[in-house]
Amino acid sequence: MSLPQGEQVRAMSIWINGTGEGLCFKTHTLDYEHKCVEELPKWNFDGCSTFQSEGSNSDMYLMPAAMFWDPFCKDPPNKLVFCEVFKYNRKPIETNLRYTCRQIMDMAGNQHPWFGMEQEYGCMGTDGHPFGWPSNGFPGPQGPYYCGVGADRAYGRDTVEVQYWAYLYAGVKFARTNAEVMPAQREFQIGPCEDISMGDHLWVDCFISHHVCEDFEVIATFDPKPIPGNWNGAGCHTNFSTKAMREENGLKYIDEAIEKLSKRHQYHIYAYVPEGGLDNARHLTGFHEASNINNFSAGVANHGTSISIPWAAGQERRAYFED
Ligand code: ADP
Ligand code: MN
Ligand code: MN
């Protein structure tokens, strides 16, 4: 870290693999600092081992999409570069959902959509057992761990402390973090971010989280229900608003949006399980502060509904709602 770096710059390209859940990265040397993402070179990788190759031609292109500071090197100007994946023929690969999302965001741009995402996750040891849990059993029942302080409540605090400074250094729009209901479960919140930047900030934050966890021999799992039984699962709630919702009498537009969402519940749930997997069904049971996967419901400040309007939003007749 203290060796002089010279003129050259390190850039880590980060992309989502073909599963839509896993992250990959590659490290590159640049001859000089590129000040904006459009100036960066297009890199490539072999899609064979990332579930992205298609038949004989497995060369994939990385198109830089968003740039952050690299918190894993001591000095600027090293970069983290979040990338979209394109095929040999320069067409986006089918699993490049950022590309399709960007088209929709462009269409909705005049509504200035804002997102804030709350990602819950479990910290596991390298043995697959939750970090800090007794190796042959369970900690005391959940209850005191949420926002808990003390060695018997706040599991893995060092990891979170290091992550926090890394997020801020990188320039991720990081809002807050807290210990969650299940011991060794955590949450981080990103936002509010306008349109496509939401996904960029969330994924780069995930990358930083995983990378920091490596140093502590902790594995972050985004499984919606890592431990079966009487332990809370992990969700990723999306807070959403449009410009009209944030203005006077915005609640009217929130109600209209909820009405539309209610008619497409199954379709939307299906979008969360593109492989037909039922991971979210293990979490969305109607118990443990989660709604039931089969029914659409909405309420004010109610964590057991599909959509919740924060209490303050209901009072002020404007603001946002939460999925
Ligand atoms: P909590 O869920 O911790 O009680 P809040 O309800 O205050 O916190 O905020 C939850 C998330 O909502 C935050 O991460 C924030 O980024 C996001 N958020 C706040 N205001 C808006 C808004 N107008 N539109 C979309 N998201 C928002
Ligand atoms: Mn939470
Ligand atoms: Mn919330």
Side-chain angles (χ1 to χ4, degrees):
M1 283 283 175
S2 55
L3 291 175
Q5 173 177 333
E7 293 298 305
Q8 289 173 317
V9 173
R10 190 176 97 167
M12 272 197 214
S13 57
I14 303 164
W15 71 97
I16 304 168
N17 75 15
T19 67
E21 294 181 8
L23 283 166
C24 297
F25 78 97
K26 233 174 150 168
T27 312
H28 317 260
T29 305
L30 300 170
D31 287 340
Y32 59 94
E33 183 188 1
H34 295 65
K35 299 277 184 197
C36 66
V37 81
E38 292 78 19
E39 275 183 20
L40 285 164
K42 313 215 172 351
W43 295 296
N44 54 32
F45 69 97
D46 175 7
C48 267
S49 306
T50 62
F51 313 102
Q52 281 163 315
S53 99
E54 209 187 44
S56 56
N57 204 334
S58 62
D59 273 2
M60 300 286 150
Y61 291 97
L62 291 168
M63 300 288 184
M67 199 155 67
F68 297 83
W69 296 112
D70 180 350
F72 303 103
C73 299
K74 203 167 138 238
D75 292 312
N78 302 303
K79 302 289 193 326
L80 299 182
V81 183
F82 188 60
C83 299
E84 284 190 32
V85 179
F86 284 71
K87 292 186 279 198
Y88 59 94
N89 59 7
R90 306 280 162 154
K91 293 214 159 67
I93 186 155
E94 284 67 22
T95 51
N96 179 353
L97 300 181
R98 188 183 186 278
Y99 182 83
T100 29
C101 184
R102 192 151 45 87
Q103 291 175 319
I104 292 165
M105 291 297 174
D106 287 347
M107 286 192 268
N110 60 354
Q111 299 195 41
H112 299 282
W114 285 10
F115 301 84
M117 296 186 83
E118 311 173 21
Q119 176 70 66
E120 295 170 343
Y121 65 104
C123 300
M124 314 303 263
T126 44
D127 58 357
H129 197 63
F131 183 78
W133 285 30
S135 50
N136 289 316
F138 297 95
Q142 57 184 34
Y145 306 102
Y146 174 72
C147 297
V149 58
D152 54 345
R153 299 185 178 183
Y155 290 48
R157 182 199 284 276
D158 317 2
T159 320
V160 180
E161 290 285 319
V162 176
Q163 284 168 339
Y164 211 124
W165 298 117
Y167 302 147
L168 295 187
Y169 182 91
V172 168
K173 197 145 195 293
F174 193 78
R176 50 182 152 268
T177 181
N178 60 274
E180 266 301 333
V181 176
M182 188 186 92
Q185 189 185 39
R186 293 277 175 174
E187 166 173 320
F188 57 77
Q189 289 191 20
I190 314 287
C193 294
E194 189 155 331
D195 57 50
I196 196 79
S197 70
M198 178 69 250
D200 300 343
H201 284 243
L202 185 73
W203 278 106
V204 170
D205 201 80
C206 284
F207 174 79
I208 294 171
S209 303
H210 284 305
H211 196 315
V212 169
C213 280
E214 289 171 16
D215 286 353
F216 295 88
E217 305 226 341
V218 168
I219 297 162
T221 174
F222 297 98
D223 188 285
K225 185 86 179 176
I227 306 297
N230 221 6
W231 303 101
N232 273 27
C236 182
H237 306 163
T238 305
N239 300 268
F240 176 78
S241 65
T242 59
K243 186 164 181 287
M245 292 170 190
R246 292 188 294 271
E247 286 171 354
E248 207 59 41
N249 281 321
L251 204 55
K252 173 171 169 281
Y253 299 97
I254 291 181
D255 287 340
E256 283 176 16
I258 291 174
E259 177 64 19
K260 287 182 188 163
L261 287 166
S262 74
K263 301 201 169 103
R264 308 248 291 171
H265 181 66
Q266 297 299 345
Y267 176 84
H268 292 141
I269 286 288
Y270 189 73
Y272 288 106
V273 284
E275 303 298 323
L278 286 172
D279 284 351
N280 275 316
R282 291 185 281 117
H283 176 212
L284 299 176
T285 55
F287 302 100
H288 300 111
E289 299 177 61
S291 63
N292 186 298
I293 196 166
N294 296 312
N295 308 319
F296 182 88
S297 55
V300 173
N302 185 342
H303 281 193
T305 50
S306 324
I307 301 286
S308 174
I309 304 174
W311 184 80
Q315 291 294 302
E316 291 161 24
R317 303 201 60 76
R318 59 182 171 192
Y320 61 100
F321 64 95
E322 177 173 354
D323 161 8

